[in-house]
Amino acid sequence: MLSDAQADPSGPCGEQRIPAIEHPPNLSFIVDRSASMSDHFPGTGLSKYESARVALATVLRAVGHRVNYGLSVFPGLAGATGCEAGDALLEVARGDDPEYAREGLNGPRLRDLLTRLSQAGVAGGTPVAATLNATAPTLTGLGGETFAVLITDGAPNCNAELECVEQGCIPNIEGLSYAGQNCTQGVNCCARTTANPRANLSCVDDEASVAAVRDLAEAGVRTFVVGMPGSESYEVLLDAMAEAGGTARDDVPRYYPVTDTEALERSLTAIAASVAISCDLPLDYVPKDPSFVNVYFDNQVVQYDTDEGWAWTDEGHVSIRGAACEQLQRGDVFEVQVFAGCKTQVK
């Protein structure tokens, strides 16, 4: 646990800092910007798209310095159909310095991400499979642990090769009117007609989307699935995508369902923490005298305590335990420091 002593403004005790071996994971946020994302998000004065932007700001302000992160949106920004594969707005790279997080500020990289997301705006359909397939070469080429976070508010569509019956047609499933037809009156609103030759683009693109997520997972990139309001009718599909992506929750549903801003921030924080924060800390080298080593959270010493503080698991490997680990995983700690030169503070 943390010592009762306040953080020393002059810094941790000890003349030698022992660097932790850092292999920050890659985290790519893939955000739905389809037309329905302009709908109101419950409990706020914001749209679903704006709410996603605010939630990303909150999460990356807290843990962005622990990861390499980037951002893509779908559908793509150029094109006439609104079904083009998504575009990368910000390539995956290291987050801002932890000093920004410590001060509760958005660093320059996070500000850039939020600006680009705001400028992209909302329009078009939900080409999930095409976007994941187009993104795959970049994600699989990053090296190290890589994760995608898919944030969407409905079913994937935009597959021009699909034909479907009413049970697989989004306007029918959602009881909408489409191209002048009432889709609740036994009319297949995804059947192509002379007046609407692209109606089949509203078929649920389930098989291709699950396959795209599975292909990423088999290539080493796991995908988290976050369902915004509007996605409830597609729980079975989103569960299947989470399963295929290797990130299914123990709870039901298996994807991350969100109904309000708190749930959205909580889900994104849980995802980011699960990939960005580890309580096992390998050190760059073995200290000469382990009894003269201390661990600090943001310049405040953590007592050596095998239950609630920290402990050695071997000569060059520190394990954060109990309450201290929980504090780290909540995102309350911006920087973990290990220093040699002062007697270890033991509970």
Side-chain angles (χ1 to χ4, degrees), residues 30-38 48 73-76 81-86 122-132 150-160 162 170 174 198 200-206 208-209 225-226 228 230-231 234 237-238 241:
I30 303 175
V31 179
D32 187 346
R33 70 173 200 97
S34 62
S36 59
M37 287 289 283
S38 65
K48 289 183 281 189
V73 294
F74 62 95
T81 69
C83 277
E84 289 75 18
V122 295
T126 314
V128 170
T131 298
L132 293 178
L150 178 70
I151 303 174
T152 185
D153 74 333
N157 56 20
C158 284
N159 188 339
L162 282 183
I170 292 172
E174 298 182 7
R198 299 174 63 243
N200 64 317
L201 293 178
S202 292
C203 291
V204 178
D205 190 20
D206 48 2
S209 298
V225 180
V226 178
M228 301 277 279
S231 63
Y234 310 102
L237 171 55
L238 297 182
M241 292 172 66

Side-chain angles (χ1 to χ4, degrees), residues 54-65 69 98 100-107 110 114 334:
V54 170
L56 285 173
T58 300
V59 172
L60 291 176
R61 190 183 304 122
V63 301
H65 58 286
Y69 65 80
Y100 290 99
R102 190 175 291 115
E103 297 296 328
L105 300 174
N106 294 343
L110 179 53
L114 297 174
F334 301 118

Side-chain angles (χ1 to χ4, degrees), residues 26-32 52 55-56 59-60 67-74 92 128 131-132 135 139 146-152 213 216 221-228 241 245 247 256 258 264-265 267-276:
N26 305 306
L27 197 55
S28 178
F29 294 94
I30 303 175
V31 179
D32 187 346
L56 285 173
V59 172
L60 291 176
V67 298
N68 305 317
Y69 65 80
L71 171 74
S72 295
V73 294
F74 62 95
V92 175
V128 170
T131 298
L132 293 178
T135 305
L139 294 182
T146 302
F147 303 85
V149 181
L150 178 70
I151 303 174
T152 185
V213 172
L216 274 177
V221 179
R222 285 178 282 168
T223 301
F224 294 91
V225 180
V226 178
M228 301 277 279
M241 292 172 66
T247 62
Y256 288 80
V258 298
L264 178 58
E265 290 186 5
S267 293
L268 291 180
T269 298
I271 290 169
S274 71
V275 305

Side-chain angles (χ1 to χ4, degrees), residues 263-297:
L264 178 58
E265 290 186 5
R266 189 165 56 247
S267 293
L268 291 180
T269 298
I271 290 169
S274 71
V275 305
I277 299 172
S278 174
C279 290
D280 293 315
L281 196 67
L283 302 181
D284 191 49
Y285 59 87
V286 179
K288 293 181 180 179
D289 188 346
S291 66
F292 278 76
V293 171
N294 283 288
V295 174
Y296 294 81
F297 285 177

Side-chain angles (χ1 to χ4, degrees), residues 174-200:
E174 298 182 7
L176 305 176
S177 293
Y178 186 63
Q181 299 181 98
N182 185 338
C183 302
T184 64
Q185 301 299 318
V187 176
N188 180 1
C189 287
C190 289
R192 289 187 287 183
T193 64
T194 303
N196 188 14
R198 299 174 63 243
N200 64 317

